[in-house]
Amino acid sequence: MKRKAQGAIEYLFMIAAALIIILIVVRQLQNRGKTASTTIEGAEGEISNVLSSMSASG
């Protein structure tokens, strides 16, 4: 009986470890998505400024 309980606990720990790793990966991907979005918005603003200054001077 003791071996079955030990095996079950080890199995639960492995599942918990896998879930923690998955959560960490998901959070990292979300943060990178936010960073990419911010970078794109900044570049879009700079492009708009350049284009508007080109049309105003030309």
Side-chain angles (χ1 to χ4, degrees):
M1 185 71 174
K2 188 174 183 180
R3 284 198 177 266
K4 287 183 181 180
Q6 180 181 356
I9 290 173
E10 288 175 0
Y11 181 71
L12 290 173
F13 278 134
M14 292 298 289
I15 291 174
L19 289 174
I20 290 170
I21 291 170
I22 290 170
L23 288 173
I24 290 171
V25 169
V26 167
R27 289 233 174 146
Q28 289 296 318
L29 290 174
Q30 286 177 342
N31 288 339
R32 289 185 183 198
K34 289 177 185 176
T35 302
S37 175
T38 303
T39 303
I40 290 170
E41 288 173 1
E44 182 183 13
E46 289 180 29
I47 291 170
S48 296
N49 290 340
V50 169
L51 289 175
S52 65
S53 68
M54 288 174 66
S55 66
S57 66

